[in-house]
Amino acid sequence: MIKEDRFHGFDYLRVVAMLAVIYVHGCDTNDSVESLSKWLSFPVPCFLLMAAFLAQMSERGSSRNYLESLMRRVRRLIPPFLAWSAIYLIVRKLKATATGESFDWNWAGSLFWGDAAHQLYFVPLLIYSFVLWLLPMQWSRTRPGWTLGLCAVAGLAAIASENVINSSLPPNRYFIAKSLVWFPIGILAALIVFRFEQIRRVALGPAFAGVIALSLMGFRNVYVLSIGLFVIGCCWTTPAPKWVQRLSALSFGIYLGHVLIIETMQFGLARIGLSLQSAAVTLGVIGGAAALSVLLALTLDHFSKTKWLVR
C-alpha cells in the first residue's frame, strides 16, 4: 500500500503553485509584469491533479462507502468556502460604499460557483469533481482496468469538447471547460503509480529535463507544463524542509485568502496616490500580498477556533 505522505514532492508543488497564483492575481495592473504570467498557467491544473491523485490513492486502500467518503471531503471544504465567501462579500460591500460604486452580487453564483471572489470557483469545482468521480475511484478497488479506461475516455472527451462547452456557458464560466480534464488525468496517474510504483524512480529525471527544455524553447502549453510539474512532484521522494511542509499544509487557506490581501493593498495604495500601473508598485503588491497572506494563514492556524479557515 502506497501511503499519501510518501509523495513529498507535492509539498514543493503546492508552495510553487500557490506563489504562482498570487503572482497571476496581483500582476494585472502593469503590462510588463503581467507578461510573465503566460508561464504561470499551471497552478489550478496542478491543484486538481494532486487532489484527484491523492483521493484515488486514499480510496484504493479504503473500505469507506461513497457517502462516507464524500461527506468526509465536503465537511472540510464547505465551511471555509462559505466563510471566505461571506468575508469577500462584506468587504466588497464596504468598499463600494466608501467609493460610491454599485455593489452587485448573485447569491446562487456566490454559493454554487464561488462568484464572491474569482479564485473561489476552485472549491465548488473540487466538490463537484468528488461527487462525480468518487464512485469510479471506489470501483478501482475491484475493477481498476475499468476505472482506468473510463478516465482515459473522459480526459480525451474533455479536451475535445472544451470549445463546445465554453460556447454554451456564460463568459464568466470559462474555467469549467478548461478544468474538466485534470481530475481524470490525476486518477489515471494514481492507478498507474499504484500498479507500477517503480516508474516513479525513473520518471523524475526525464520529466524535470523535459519541462526545463520546453520552457527554454518558449513552449508554454498548459498540458505540458502542468503534467510535467505534476510528474516531478509525484516522483520526488526526499522530504521537504519543515517550513515548506508548513506552507504546503496552509496552501488551501492561503489560496482562499490571498485575493483579499491583494485587493486591500491595491485599494489602499491607490487612495494614497501611488500609481498601480507602476511596475515597482505592482511587484510590491505581489511580494507584500504573498508575505501577508502567509502571515494571515499562520495566524488563523495558530488558534483552534479559526484553524478550520485555512486547513
Side-chain angles (χ1 to χ4, degrees):
M1 173 65 183
I2 300 175
K3 295 182 179 179
E4 292 182 13
D5 61 4
R6 289 181 59 182
F7 297 97
H8 302 295
F10 286 169
D11 287 328
Y12 292 103
L13 185 53
R14 287 191 190 99
V15 174
V16 170
M18 189 64 262
L19 293 175
V21 166
I22 294 173
Y23 188 98
V24 169
H25 289 159
C27 72
D28 60 351
T29 57
N30 179 271
D31 291 340
S32 297
V33 179
E34 187 177 20
S35 66
L36 297 177
S37 66
K38 62 190 177 184
W39 300 99
L40 305 178
S41 57
F42 61 86
V44 168
C46 283
F47 283 137
L48 287 170
L49 285 168
M50 287 186 286
F53 183 94
L54 294 175
Q56 176 60 76
M57 284 295 179
S58 175
E59 292 300 322
R60 190 73 171 81
S62 170
S63 60
R64 289 186 296 266
N65 63 36
Y66 175 82
L67 286 178
E68 289 173 339
S69 292
L70 180 62
M71 293 309 299
R72 175 172 171 260
R73 289 171 169 84
V74 166
R75 280 196 294 264
R76 178 179 175 238
L77 293 171
I78 288 182
F81 167 69
L82 294 179
W84 281 105
S85 295
I87 291 169
Y88 278 103
L89 290 173
I90 292 170
V91 170
R92 286 180 174 158
K93 172 62 175 175
L94 294 174
K95 179 183 175 182
T97 301
T99 59
E101 299 174 352
S102 61
F103 175 69
D104 299 316
W105 72 287
N106 178 280
W107 72 267
S110 297
L111 188 61
F112 295 107
W113 291 112
D115 288 353
H118 51 265
Q119 88 284 8
L120 294 181
Y121 79 86
F122 175 78
V123 183
L125 182 62
L126 192 58
I127 293 172
Y128 301 147
S129 296
F130 282 131
V131 170
L132 178 64
W133 283 105
L134 270 177
L135 198 56
M137 287 181 186
Q138 293 178 348
W139 289 339
S140 72
R141 298 169 187 168
T142 56
R143 290 172 285 181
W146 193 95
T147 301
L148 191 147
L150 176 62
C151 289
V153 171
L156 292 173
I159 295 172
S161 61
E162 180 178 335
N163 292 334
V164 175
I165 295 174
N166 263 340
S167 64
S168 67
L169 296 170
N172 63 340
R173 298 282 182 256
Y174 67 91
F175 53 82
I176 297 175
K178 291 175 60 176
S179 302
L180 292 177
V181 66
W182 301 112
F183 222 80
I185 292 178
I187 297 170
L188 193 69
L191 292 173
I192 293 172
V193 169
F194 191 94
R195 180 66 179 85
F196 305 104
E197 185 186 2
Q198 63 272 19
I199 68 171
R200 291 207 298 154
R201 301 189 180 99
V202 299
L204 176 60
F208 187 79
V211 169
I212 296 298
L214 291 170
S215 297
L216 290 175
M217 289 188 295
F219 193 78
R220 55 180 186 273
N221 181 278
V222 63
Y223 292 103
V224 174
L225 290 176
S226 302
I227 294 175
L229 291 171
F230 169 73
V231 170
I232 293 171
C234 179
C235 296
W236 196 279
T237 57
T238 304
K242 294 294 185 183
W243 66 271
V244 173
Q245 295 179 35
R246 184 74 189 281
L247 289 181
S248 173
L250 297 177
S251 60
F252 180 58
I254 296 172
Y255 180 90
L256 294 176
H258 74 279
V259 170
L260 183 65
I261 304 294
I262 290 173
E263 293 184 351
T264 301
M265 290 185 67
Q266 290 175 338
F267 178 75
L269 292 173
R271 298 284 283 187
I272 64 175
L274 293 180
S275 172
L276 296 178
Q277 287 71 46
S278 163
V281 172
T282 300
L283 289 172
V285 168
I286 293 170
L292 291 174
S293 297
V294 170
L295 180 61
L296 176 62
L298 288 170
T299 302
L300 293 173
D301 187 58
H302 180 72
F303 299 100
S304 59
K305 291 185 178 180
T306 56
K307 185 186 291 285
W308 59 276
L309 286 166
V310 293
R311 285 185 180 266

